[in-house]
Amino acid sequence: MTSSRTTIWIIAAFLWSGLIAALAWQGLIDSQQTIIDLAEVQARANFNNDNAYQQWAAMHGGVYIPVTDATQPNPFLADIPERDIITPAGKRLTLISHTDISRHIYQILDQKHGVKERITSLNPTRPENSPDRWEEKALNEIETKNEIIHSIDFIRGEKYLRMMFPLHIEADCLKCHTSQDHQVGDQYGGISIAIPFAPFQMAIQSTAVKILMVFFLVWALGLGLIALTCRLIKKQFKTLEEALIKTKTMGIKYQTLFDQAAGGICVTDITTGEIIDCNQSLAELVGRTRLELIGQPQTILFPPSEQKTYEENLEKIWRYKNDDTAHTLEKKLITKGGELIDVQLKAASLEIEGRKLVQGFFYDLSLQKKLYAEAIRSSQLASVGELSAGVAHEINNPIGGVINYAQILLNNNKGDDFERDILNRIIKEGQRIAQIVKSLLSFSRKGENKQYIYDLKKVITEPLILINAHLIKDGITVKLDIMKDLPAIKCDPQQIEQLVLNLVNNSRYALNEKYPGVDTNKRIEISAKVAPFRANKSIQMTFTDYGTGIPAEKLPKIKEAFCTSKPLGKGTGLGLSICEEIVANHGGQFDIESEYGEYTRSTIYLPLQAENN
């Protein structure tokens, strides 16, 4: 309880710290935005002043200034008759436009205050008015949005607040723009202003320090109040706990024995069937919590097939409460996920304050039955091994004769290509039968694994020739996707061919079950390539079908011997376990993924050794 309360106060401290941090962060953001807004105000003030200068100069048709080396007559105003005049005193003056006035002012601002301001345009009359990258982007935006553009940007490594104000042609401007086809109201460019951001950055940092100091003090004060409150409440809880401990000592001892019992315990009301209490072991056994069980009918523990018999047994236990033989039962419990568990139930009847109760003790028999099943399976495997030796002897002798006679006929054949092809096939398939028998023997005992460098493409395609007639009959198509220049690997080709046959036959069965007739989805996809994204280079073979798939409950054990998703009589349950052993013999990895009713995909990784490359 103390730990729980401490956790609450820790959480409160974290929440308070989080709140202060969030408020401080927001304050920093707001203060930074305020200072940026001030920088924008300064930029707007510069623009307003500049705009006023330009309007004044435009209203008066420009201003005359002395001609010097720095201020030569503007060639763009050559079409104005009075561009150049001479005063009565003989001083030569030239007319400068309002934009020229602005340029002179911009130079002074840049030299004295670092403010960079200039007129620019996407189609400038003067080359020096060509926009830089930021200005070009801003000019394009103001042409579509017709609004002021601003952002933080860097100029020669220094941070500036940059703004672009649109410029429009006014009637007074036409005097200096007679050579250009402009109309009143046309947007012909903009005024670019760049304010040095360093002073504002210092202001932001100074303000941030002050904000953080204020919030730190508030945070520290809040933590102090939380700690003080915690201490006071802790003191009161301690007094209350001491009183409760004295009254609960005996109850805790009983509850500890009840909860920590090795087996599951359940107390049930015989009259109502309600679960009065249960321990944690029983709850864990059926995959539930105690709160999910207490107050529920006892039938929640049993599958429907056993609920009625259990109710009858409860009455029997009560009726013969002095007869020990009636108190031991073997039942099945059902978990929250629907899994059945074998248990031994020992029950005892008791009566408390006139209430008829039964206390049941549940012992899990799953491990015991699993060991028994494994013993049976070991016996089956031993029997298969003994049977395989006899079958091998009985089959190998006649098949050897078939191979020898076919070889004699082949040797005596004088050139009939069709007969030679038939005889070669008889020899090859006879050797395959012998190898299949050998593979059956290797399942029960390790044999010699003869491996050599072999073309994997041939290992995949040749078994398909054997069952091609069956595939055509079933209406199944095989889609091959074998990598061009697929590297040869070190393998036992006959074992790999057996693996291919097993997987294709499994896919064939699944497709025929799902699609008894002709269907475009009756296809098997086989691919082979160098496996990507693996630390050790491997060949990846994938076999995919869109048949019945494998039930989720059988998928984890599907590669074990005698485990099959096929009905009784349709499969032995040895095919995939043989595939697993073949892949293991080659130092590879065999994975199966499936979604019931949708697809099954088998993936084999065989190592690509350096000497195979």
Side-chain angles (χ1 to χ4, degrees):
M1 188 70 178
T2 303
S3 175
S4 176
R5 286 198 303 272
T6 302
T7 302
I8 292 173
W9 298 123
I10 291 174
I11 291 173
F14 271 110
L15 290 175
W16 172 251
S17 300
L19 176 62
I20 292 300
L23 292 173
W25 179 257
Q26 188 60 47
L28 291 174
I29 292 174
D30 291 343
S31 65
Q32 182 175 356
Q33 187 58 49
T34 300
I35 292 172
I36 291 174
D37 290 343
L38 290 174
E40 291 182 3
V41 169
Q42 180 180 332
R44 288 176 185 271
N46 283 8
F47 170 74
N48 291 334
N49 290 337
D50 180 66
N51 199 28
Y53 298 151
Q54 289 198 29
Q55 288 181 353
W56 180 86
M59 287 170 55
H60 294 84
V63 175
Y64 286 95
I65 63 172
V67 176
T68 64
D69 292 338
T71 56
Q72 290 293 312
N74 189 340
F76 297 101
L77 302 181
D79 56 343
I80 297 176
E82 295 183 344
R83 183 194 70 173
D84 301 311
I85 62 173
I86 299 175
T87 66
K91 194 170 187 179
R92 187 181 173 193
L93 302 178
T94 186
L95 180 69
I96 62 171
S97 66
H98 58 284
T99 54
D100 289 330
I101 296 173
S102 297
R103 265 188 289 274
H104 288 294
I105 295 173
Y106 298 159
Q107 291 175 0
I108 296 172
L109 286 173
D110 190 9
Q111 293 171 0
K112 291 192 173 183
H113 306 291
V115 177
K116 301 183 184 301
E117 188 171 351
R118 72 192 193 103
I119 297 172
T120 183
S121 171
L122 293 173
N123 297 303
T125 305
R126 298 169 177 263
E128 61 267 24
N129 291 341
S130 298
D132 61 20
R133 186 176 59 182
W134 183 91
E135 291 170 339
E136 182 178 0
K137 181 180 177 182
L139 287 170
N140 283 320
E141 288 187 29
I142 64 174
E143 280 193 357
T144 56
K145 299 179 181 178
N146 195 25
E147 60 183 29
I148 299 170
I149 307 300
H150 60 85
S151 66
I152 302 296
D153 192 32
F154 286 88
I155 300 176
R156 291 190 290 275
E158 294 186 13
K159 188 184 287 188
Y160 283 80
L161 171 67
R162 302 195 69 174
M163 299 185 72
M164 179 67 73
F165 296 86
L167 284 179
H168 298 89
I169 292 291
E170 297 181 7
D172 294 331
C173 300
L174 295 176
K175 177 181 178 181
C176 297
H177 291 275
T178 55
S179 62
Q180 296 171 301
D181 189 16
H182 285 309
Q183 302 293 328
V184 174
D186 289 349
Q187 181 177 305
Y188 68 93
I191 294 182
S192 172
I193 300 179
I195 304 292
F197 202 70
F200 298 100
Q201 189 75 43
M202 293 177 61
I204 289 173
Q205 293 173 355
S206 175
T207 304
V209 170
K210 294 176 182 177
I211 289 174
L212 290 175
M213 288 181 62
V214 171
F215 277 102
F216 176 79
L217 292 175
V218 174
W219 171 74
L221 179 61
L223 284 184
L225 291 173
I226 290 174
L228 180 61
T229 305
C230 173
R231 180 183 292 274
L232 293 174
I233 295 178
K234 212 171 180 182
K235 215 171 170 184
Q236 295 187 4
F237 265 108
K238 186 177 180 182
T239 304
L240 181 61
E241 280 180 357
E242 289 174 352
L244 289 174
I245 288 172
K246 292 179 182 178
T247 58
K248 289 185 176 180
T249 301
M250 294 304 296
I252 289 173
K253 288 182 180 179
Y254 163 76
Q255 193 67 42
T256 301
L257 293 172
F258 183 79
D259 290 340
Q260 295 184 357
I265 303 176
C266 179
V267 180
T268 305
D269 188 313
I270 292 180
T271 306
T272 63
E274 179 187 348
I275 297 175
I276 305 302
D277 199 0
C278 69
N279 68 351
Q280 185 63 27
S281 296
L282 178 65
E284 291 176 356
L285 188 61
V286 296
R288 297 179 181 272
T289 64
R290 292 182 61 199
L291 293 177
E292 287 180 289
L293 294 175
I294 295 173
Q296 298 296 319
Q298 48 83 23
T299 52
I300 194 175
L301 296 172
F302 302 95
S305 59
E306 298 210 1
Q307 290 176 2
K308 185 176 180 180
T309 57
Y310 180 70
E311 291 174 354
E312 293 171 353
N313 286 329
L314 284 181
E315 295 178 2
K316 186 177 180 182
I317 290 168
W318 179 259
R319 193 162 55 250
Y320 301 102
K321 54 185 176 181
N322 295 321
D323 183 2
D324 293 339
T325 59
H327 296 172
T328 301
L329 306 168
E330 192 167 309
K331 307 294 291 180
K332 286 185 182 294
L333 296 184
I334 186 168
T335 67
K336 187 175 183 179
E339 182 183 356
L340 297 180
I341 300 176
D342 293 300
V343 296
Q344 184 184 66
L345 168 62
K346 291 183 178 291
S349 58
L350 62 154
E351 186 172 353
I352 300 176
E353 296 179 356
R355 195 175 187 182
K356 298 178 181 179
L357 305 173
V358 167
Q359 186 172 25
F361 299 84
F362 298 84
Y363 301 94
D364 188 0
L365 298 179
S366 300
L367 179 59
Q368 178 182 341
K369 293 205 170 188
K370 182 179 179 182
L371 293 174
Y372 178 70
E374 288 179 354
I376 292 177
R377 184 177 299 163
S378 298
S379 177
Q380 289 174 324
L381 289 172
S383 300
V384 168
E386 294 174 4
L387 182 63
S388 298
V391 170
H393 178 73
E394 294 298 327
I395 292 178
N396 277 338
N397 288 336
I399 202 63
V402 171
I403 293 171
N404 290 334
Y405 289 134
Q407 187 64 52
I408 291 170
L409 292 173
L410 180 62
N411 294 339
N412 294 330
N413 187 280
K414 299 304 180 182
D416 188 327
D417 291 338
F418 178 74
E419 288 184 1
R420 292 181 67 83
D421 183 61
I422 294 296
L423 291 170
N424 277 319
R425 286 178 181 269
I426 291 173
I427 293 170
K428 181 179 178 181
E429 301 316 321
Q431 291 171 343
R432 188 184 302 283
I433 293 172
Q435 183 60 31
I436 290 172
V437 173
K438 196 173 181 181
S439 296
L440 185 61
L441 279 169
S442 70
F443 180 70
S444 59
R445 59 180 170 79
K446 293 289 182 183
E448 185 179 1
N449 186 15
K450 295 182 179 179
Q451 298 183 7
Y452 51 91
I453 303 300
Y454 200 81
D455 183 359
L456 192 60
K457 182 177 180 180
K458 293 177 64 176
V459 179
I460 296 173
T461 55
E462 289 186 2
L464 295 177
I465 298 174
L466 291 179
I467 58 173
N468 187 52
H470 295 290
L471 294 172
I472 293 173
K473 177 184 174 183
D474 295 336
I476 297 172
T477 58
V478 177
K479 181 182 178 183
L480 288 175
D481 182 14
I482 299 178
M483 175 184 175
K484 186 179 179 182
D485 299 328
L486 185 69
I489 66 167
K490 188 175 183 181
C491 68
D492 183 335
Q494 291 180 327
Q495 283 194 1
I496 301 299
E497 287 181 3
Q498 183 63 45
L499 178 145
V500 172
L501 276 175
N502 287 356
L503 294 177
V504 171
N505 281 329
N506 281 350
S507 296
R508 178 181 161 224
Y509 172 83
L511 289 168
N512 285 333
E513 284 293 301
K514 187 173 181 180
Y515 307 106
V518 177
D519 195 283
T520 55
N521 288 320
K522 290 184 75 173
R523 68 183 188 275
I524 302 172
E525 298 173 356
I526 303 175
S527 68
K529 61 183 179 180
V530 176
F533 313 121
R534 287 179 71 87
N536 299 322
K537 286 191 175 181
S538 306
I539 295 293
Q540 175 183 326
M541 292 192 297
T542 306
F543 297 76
T544 306
D545 68 74
Y546 300 93
T548 55
I550 302 171
E553 66 273 11
K554 291 188 177 181
L555 189 58
K557 298 182 179 180
I558 197 65
K559 291 186 284 187
E560 295 180 5
F562 305 111
C563 180
T564 178
S565 60
K566 301 174 184 177
L568 187 63
K570 295 287 187 178
T572 63
L574 292 174
L576 290 178
S577 64
I578 291 174
C579 292
E580 174 83 348
E581 183 163 339
I582 289 173
V583 174
N585 287 341
H586 289 76
Q589 179 181 337
F590 181 28
D591 298 326
I592 298 177
E593 59 177 298
S594 180
E595 185 174 340
Y596 187 58
E598 296 295 331
Y599 73 93
T600 299
R601 181 175 294 110
S602 303
T603 305
I604 298 97
Y605 297 98
L606 299 176
L608 184 61
Q609 301 174 1
E611 60 268 24
N612 299 348
N613 295 339

